[in-house]
């Protein structure tokens, strides 16, 4: 508000000055008092209340990003996390979530955009939007026409990971399957791996697409019969699944699970952690011949957000090349920020389980989403599976 007033005042001064130039009369004897007014401080637009409420996935932000933003702009960030898209969705549908930025997966956000749960972003307030890769943005445009609502956060894929030594031991001489999904979906393997621990992400809209794909159905099927088939398959391995969690880095690194459905970056973080602490076991994200599930997570501003200018400022800050590079270097998740590429470490850039090669990319299950109608069936199938009945 204040800034607007200043800008208007400055324009008035400029106009007045221009007007004077064209007048043939002599300059007034006394200088106009406005001439002494101090210049408006240049700075980005912010809300009067210096607060920003962010709702993100767990383990999905670099260590100093929030503190750096707070320090630079004097805006206090309240940062909460959610376990899956369903939890975020429930908050948004209930309304008055209090959040100014949330991080939905693009495919899931489609119905939220259609349902008017997000407000359009103002790209003129995000100069660093220019850092984004146009090809990447065209992918998101498939669910968010003209990229009106979603600004990329990071991307990766949901896949199977293993603790190599523990899995080999538990399989007791049995060869590894060609399709890594067999480890967690086929009782022949899961019954053996049960002893060292199988973990699943607690994320219905990620477990069901991979399960549907595994039983030969479209991963984003809208047919309840397909869900029945996937549910039956899942039920057969239910007794072998030790834990459901969206924060499994410590469980993997600490040896509580030896085979898991996890997120590419998290599995790599766990692998790094074991190496750093001198552990003997190797944690490996597998690139299943049966495909991984790609996800593109994005920032969006809920329709009833209270700190919209601060939200734009945070988006712009996040899109700085250095912050994009840190997301890949520290968290093992690439970002869609083209300008960041030059600062990404070679060991990260060359890690084919972070930046996939063309063959593995071609095998990925592309991003997609479910309608509101089928989401009920999806949730029922998932909950029945989790309960084991
Ligand atoms: C990383 C969270 C990844 C979110 N811990 C996948 N949509």
């Amino acid at each position: 508000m204040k800034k607007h007033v200043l800008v208007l005042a400055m324009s008035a001064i400029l106009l007045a000055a221009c007007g004077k130039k064209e007048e043939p009369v002599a300059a007034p004897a006394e200088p106009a008092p406005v001439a002494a007014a101090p210049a408006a401080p240049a700075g980005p637009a912010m809300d009067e209340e210096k607060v920003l409420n962010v709702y993100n996935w767990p383990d999905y932000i670099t260590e100093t990003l929030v503190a750096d933003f707070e320090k630079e702009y004097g805006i206090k960030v309240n940062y909460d996390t959610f376990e899956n898209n369903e939890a975020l969705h429930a908050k948004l549908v209930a309304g008055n979530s209090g959040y100014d930025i949330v991080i939905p997966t693009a495919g899931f956000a489609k119905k939220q955009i259609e349902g008017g749960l997000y407000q359009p972003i103002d790209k003129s307030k995000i100069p660093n939007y220019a850092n984004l890769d146009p090809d990447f943005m065209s992918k998101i445009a498939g669910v968010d026409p003209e990229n009106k609502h979603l600004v990329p956060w990071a991307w990766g894929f949901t896949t199977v990971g293993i603790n190599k030594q523990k899995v080999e031991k538990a399989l007791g001489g049995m060869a590894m399957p060609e399709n890594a999904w067999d480890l967690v979906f086929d009782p022949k393997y899961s019954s053996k791996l049960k002893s060292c621990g199988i973990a699943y992400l607690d994320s219905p809209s990620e477990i069901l697409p991979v399960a549907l794909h595994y039983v030969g159905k479209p991963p984003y099927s809208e047919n309840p019969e397909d869900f029945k088939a996937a549910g039956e398959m899942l039920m057969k391995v239910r007794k072998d699944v030790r834990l459901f969690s969206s924060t499994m880095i410590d469980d993997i690194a600490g040896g509580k699970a030896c085979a898991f459905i996890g997120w590419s970056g998290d599995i790599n973080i766990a692998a790094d952690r074991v190496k750093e602490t001198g552990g003997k076991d190797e944690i490996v994200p597998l690139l299943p011949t049966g495909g991984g599930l790609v996800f593109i997570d994005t920032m969006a501003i809920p329709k009833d957000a209270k700190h919209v200018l601060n939200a734009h400022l945070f988006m712009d800050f996040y899109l700085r090349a250095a912050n994009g590079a840190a997301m890949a270097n520290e968290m093992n998740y690439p970002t869609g920020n083209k300008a960041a590429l030059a600062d990404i470490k070679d060991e990260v850039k060359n890690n084919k389980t972070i930046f996939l090669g063309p063959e593995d990319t071609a095998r990925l299950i592309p991003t997609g989403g479910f309608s509101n109608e089928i989401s009920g069936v999806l949730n029922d199938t998932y909950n029945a599976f989790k309960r084991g009945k």
Side-chain angles (χ1 to χ4, degrees):
M1 264 312 183
K2 263 184 206 145
K3 192 158 177 269
H4 266 121
V5 174
L6 272 173
V7 170
L8 282 176
M10 297 247 332
S11 316
I13 293 165
L14 284 172
L15 277 174
C18 288
K20 262 175 217 148
K21 250 187 197 170
E22 283 168 26
E23 277 174 33
V25 292
E30 275 181 46
V34 282
M46 291 183 211
D47 296 289
E48 258 165 51
E49 195 181 18
K50 301 278 176 283
V51 168
L52 180 73
N53 299 318
V54 179
Y55 201 33
N56 195 357
W57 300 78
D59 306 315
Y60 212 24
I61 191 162
T62 53
E63 208 179 332
T64 63
L65 192 100
V66 163
D68 292 349
F69 177 79
E70 288 181 326
K71 194 163 156 217
E72 187 162 334
Y73 295 111
I75 294 174
K76 165 90 185 89
V77 177
N78 298 309
Y79 189 85
D80 292 338
T81 60
F82 56 85
E83 299 264 304
N84 50 46
N85 277 302
E86 285 75 8
L88 165 62
H89 189 66
K91 275 258 175 1
L92 294 173
V93 170
N96 290 319
S97 68
Y99 293 111
D100 303 305
I101 291 197
V102 297
I103 322 279
T105 303
F108 200 98
K110 185 172 188 278
K111 64 179 178 195
Q112 297 169 333
I113 294 168
E114 287 162 3
L117 294 175
Y118 297 130
Q119 51 181 289
I121 51 158
D122 179 350
K123 291 177 195 162
S124 74
K125 294 199 168 58
I126 313 179
N128 288 321
Y129 199 89
N131 287 344
L132 290 168
D133 177 355
D135 283 348
F136 190 78
M137 294 314 290
S138 69
K139 290 199 181 93
I140 301 180
V143 292
D144 178 28
E146 295 170 50
N147 299 118
K148 279 195 181 148
H149 305 84
L150 307 177
V151 176
W153 179 261
W155 68 272
F157 54 99
T158 306
T159 191
V160 181
I162 55 166
N163 177 319
K164 200 163 170 276
Q165 286 72 12
K166 285 196 170 36
V167 163
E168 277 169 6
K169 192 164 169 230
L171 289 183
M174 195 174 174
M176 280 285 281
E178 199 203 322
N179 180 3
W181 291 109
D182 289 345
L183 294 171
V184 290
F185 287 152
D186 182 345
K188 190 166 104 189
Y189 297 94
S190 64
S191 58
K192 295 221 179 311
L193 298 177
K194 182 186 175 168
S195 58
C196 57
I198 294 181
Y200 277 30
L201 287 173
D202 196 3
S203 181
S205 50
E206 289 176 271
I207 296 298
L208 260 305
V210 292
L212 283 158
H213 185 66
Y214 185 75
V215 296
K217 309 291 181 193
Y220 291 99
S221 171
E222 290 283 316
N223 180 352
E225 284 303 311
D226 293 347
F227 283 84
K228 210 168 154 232
E232 277 163 15
M233 179 280 286
L234 287 170
M235 215 53 108
K236 286 190 193 134
V237 293
R238 174 62 187 92
K239 60 178 188 342
D240 302 333
V241 180
R242 181 179 294 178
L243 58 114
F244 290 86
S245 167
S246 297
T247 49
M248 58 169 84
I249 297 176
D250 287 342
D251 295 325
I252 299 172
K256 258 197 216 156
C258 64
F260 26 88
I261 302 180
W263 292 309
S264 50
D266 288 26
I267 302 173
N268 272 303
I269 293 175
D272 293 343
R273 203 167 286 173
V274 172
K275 268 187 228 149
E276 282 156 20
T277 52
K280 296 265 174 306
D281 290 351
E282 254 176 283
I283 309 296
V284 192
L286 300 173
L287 297 167
T289 48
L293 182 77
V294 76
F295 57 80
I296 299 176
D297 294 321
T298 55
M299 294 179 270
I301 306 179
K303 66 165 196 271
D304 51 7
K306 302 262 179 326
H307 309 98
V308 174
L309 291 174
N310 296 349
H312 282 86
L313 197 54
F314 184 84
M315 287 179 170
D316 191 54
F317 181 78
Y318 183 74
L319 292 184
R320 287 181 188 175
N323 289 332
M327 192 65 189
N329 289 334
E330 274 180 47
M331 305 304 294
N332 297 317
Y333 286 105
T335 69
N337 186 331
K338 207 172 177 179
L341 282 178
D343 294 327
I344 297 178
K345 291 187 228 155
D346 282 345
E347 71 207 66
V348 174
K349 242 188 253 172
N350 298 331
N351 182 334
K352 290 283 169 268
T353 64
I354 300 174
F355 286 88
L356 293 168
E359 260 189 25
D360 293 313
T361 305
R363 272 203 288 259
L364 286 178
I365 301 168
T367 187
F370 295 100
S371 69
N372 275 329
E373 292 70 48
I374 204 71
S375 294
V377 177
L378 184 154
N379 289 332
D380 289 350
T381 309
Y382 183 79
N383 292 332
F385 161 57
K386 233 178 127 179
R387 281 195 314 270
K389 46 182 157 42

